[in-house]
Amino acid sequence: MESVRKYLSLVFIFVILHTTVFAIDSDAMKEGKKAFSKKAYGEAIKKFTKHADSHPQDGEAYMYLGYIYEYKKDYPKSIQNFRRAADLDLDKDQRKTVLLKLALFFNYHQDWNLSATYAARYLKYDSKNEEVQKIYNRAVGNKGNPSSGQNYTHTVRVESKPTEPKQSESKKDTSKKAEEVSDNSEGTKPSEYYEQVLVGQPNLEDVRWDYVLALFEEKKYDLAENNLKTLIEKNPSRSRYHYKLGIVKLRQDDPKSAIESFERAKKNPFSKDTNVFLYYVYLNEGIAFQKLAELDKAETSFQLAYKQLQKDPPLLALARLYEQKSDWENCISSADKALSLNPEQIESHIFRFVCMFEAGKRTKKFETSFAKYSEFIDSKYPDLTQTPEKYQVGFIKLARRYTETNAFDKAETFFSVLEKVPANLESREFLFYRGRNYFYSGKVDAAISILQKISGSSSGYYLLARCYSKKGDLSKTKEQFKLAADLKPEYWTSESLEKDFKDVWKDVSFREFIKTKAGTISAQAQP
């Protein structure tokens, strides 16, 4: 798998830099590529979208949009655009790259049907690729049994809690039974049993409903959808049918259709335990909106879910959403509330730790969540590469925290995992703090190789100047220091200069360089 990822990175570089004879270079496309190369992603999105609107058969714009949203960590939109690109006009190298990304993505999320589909399409272009052949063989072997936890982005992880209430859980929420809300399938027989019954008696509604539940448990979502539509046709006002169809649509990664079903379910909610039913409708509706990146609507749905039942899953969902929006204070508040209801919920600790880190709040709560998070990872996933994506949200902050506490080797284990995500290799936060970890652990050459990849960062230039100072390279020390001071002039008069540059401070020319601000003022003008 690692070799495939390395290969994919190389192909991506080739495809992005290579202008092909098949490309349709409209003015919008040219301007989009120019903006993309400058990392002006907002402008690039507008231009590529404009090109796509006027050239509906050209897949290149969608390919670029896929990469942009991948960099922005909006994975649902990224995959949506890659899938559109794969079905439109691309040159051979571009198509191979897109198909390979999709095969890897769906293989990772254990969506065997789509993994097999895209791997097979890729193998038509490169039948000797052994790694992709392995992906295809694995997918075919599991086809028809996609993972129950399909979850394509850390922004949509509410389903770490059940999306449908089980009977035992419903009893905790209310003294009444919530059997209509509950899709409890503990007593459900295999789907083959119901198939045999329905052959002779196709109009038995309750049997068909049990058949749907069995199909759902067996991850046979297409069949479940077909039978739900049959039930809805016969009884269009039955809210649980619409609700369950919405859940099926979520499993099929069709959030727009899921929302339509949830809306129908809300029009005629259960008369018994209505709040329990609406709690789950709103909770899953929020997931669907978040998949569509409609964050304000997702926020409203999660808040409405919490209004129905004061439980921790919608609060955790809100914490995730606020972290995505960089709304640190609301993230902290939501995580706090979730932990007051469920003190051991590890993801709530993760988001509280991450958002308090960003907000600069190093309180007792920060230390508690750091301890819970780090201990959980250490005990459950000694091999960090096996950590589920939903627990990797705070890895960069864990690495930074370990650097702060001089646990440099521990920090590096997290940085090593993070570097396997292509977007991190262009992330200023990742590059700077990994360089910082190398610097303080005495690995100056490694620090330089990382920090040189950062541009436009005063702190990056300053730390690079300190690296060259340790190596006794006076010329490069001055060069990097000036770049830092040009962006942040207060560096010239910092009280820590003698300490930070003690290796070259004894050199008269360096002190003169600092005193005259690289020769821009006269030494006599100094006080």
Side-chain angles (χ1 to χ4, degrees), residues 435-464:
R436 190 170 183 265
N437 189 64
Y438 280 140
F439 175 79
Y440 283 108
S441 62
K443 301 174 182 177
V444 177
D445 289 333
I448 290 173
S449 68
I450 291 291
L451 294 169
Q452 284 176 332
K453 298 176 183 178
I454 305 174
S455 61
S457 167
S458 59
S459 55
Y461 293 139
Y462 189 85
L463 185 55
L464 196 51

Side-chain angles (χ1 to χ4, degrees), residues 4 25 38 92 160 221 236 259 336 390 418 420 477 508:
V4 173
D25 279 323
K38 295 180 179 179
K92 181 179 178 180
S160 60
Y221 300 125
I259 290 168
D336 262 343
K390 66 181 180 179
L418 289 165
K420 299 183 187 303
T477 300
V508 175

Side-chain angles (χ1 to χ4, degrees), residues 20 50 55 76 98 114-115 220 232 252 254 277 294 299 308 346 355 386 395 430 485 506:
T20 72
K50 181 178 179 181
H55 299 82
V98 169
L114 289 175
S115 178
K220 297 175 181 178
I232 289 171
Q252 294 172 325
D254 185 359
F277 174 70
E294 296 186 36
E299 180 180 2
Q308 301 300 320
I346 190 62
C355 292
Q386 300 302 310
F395 270 19
F430 171 79
K506 58 187 177 183

